[in-house]
Amino acid sequence: IFRKAEIRPLTRPDGRADLSVRTQDSWTLNLQLSVGTEGGESFFTYGVTENNILGYGKSVGAVHSQSGQAVTNDFRYSDDRFWGTRFRLSPFYTRRNQGDSLGADLIRPFFSLDTPQAGGVSWARTIGETSLQEDGQESSKFLQRSRTASASYWRRLPHESLFVQRLEAGWYSQREEFTATSQTLPQTLPAGRELSGP
């Protein structure tokens, strides 16, 4: 969000020094527009993103895209200093004509080489129509519900003079459920599944 930053020491009469910091803001409003053809289908996308809302360093964006019959609307927000902390909050919502997705990340990153620890959690839920392919054609359709969640913790290993080493540990969980629709052929509905592990 800054084009440049300049720090200058100013000597005071008592022998101490003040630091004068001058910054120049960058242009943070980005417009997006694209039109074309791909794979024999036309597509177009338009959207807007602001990366420094009211000078607070938060960003928000909305993008609409259409390719053939597929229509997607994507909305995202990001706050790198959530509630004045070092945590970064990044929720999103994506709406498609065949379903939607909702999720969020809350992460405290390594913001310097000397940061001793970091970590975060993420969660996402997706509902949408999916299909099986046979000979290059859709043969059966069904509704798929997916949920993923993860948590991680990162630790900087004891100080080394030449390089920084970090250790990461976490847990990941994924759950898939499938529901038949009027376009589901007999004996083609996949079984639900659940995966989890370190």
Side-chain angles (χ1 to χ4, degrees), residues 16-149:
R16 297 183 179 182
D18 289 332
L19 293 180
S20 171
V21 181
R22 299 183 63 186
T23 62
Q24 181 181 358
D25 291 350
S26 294
W27 181 263
T28 56
L29 180 66
N30 298 312
L31 303 177
Q32 180 179 349
L33 176 64
S34 60
V35 180
T37 59
E38 187 175 60
E41 290 188 340
S42 299
F43 71 87
F44 70 92
T45 301
Y46 62 87
V48 60
T49 303
E50 169 56 49
N51 293 315
N52 191 16
I53 303 173
L54 301 176
Y56 286 101
K58 308 174 193 315
S59 66
V60 63
V63 176
H64 171 87
S65 61
Q66 184 169 347
S67 177
Q69 300 298 317
V71 178
T72 303
N73 291 293
D74 187 72
F75 305 94
R76 295 183 181 269
Y77 173 79
S78 181
D79 183 354
D80 287 345
R81 298 298 301 271
F82 182 56
W83 277 350
T85 67
R86 290 283 190 176
F87 282 91
R88 178 174 62 230
L89 176 67
S90 304
F92 71 89
Y93 176 71
T94 303
R95 178 72 182 173
R96 304 177 186 87
N97 52 355
Q98 296 154 345
D100 69 345
S101 300
L102 176 69
D105 297 328
L106 183 62
I107 298 174
R108 186 182 190 272
F110 286 107
F111 49 85
S112 73
L113 292 178
D114 290 332
T115 304
Q117 58 189 2
V121 294
S122 65
W123 173 87
R125 187 269 303 151
T126 301
I127 299 175
E129 188 180 70
T130 189
S131 62
L132 296 177
Q133 302 287 323
E134 185 175 345
D135 296 329
Q137 302 293 327
E138 291 183 347
S139 62
S140 182
K141 292 184 179 181
F142 40 83
L143 193 65
Q144 179 178 359
R145 290 181 173 87
S146 175
R147 187 265 305 150
T148 60

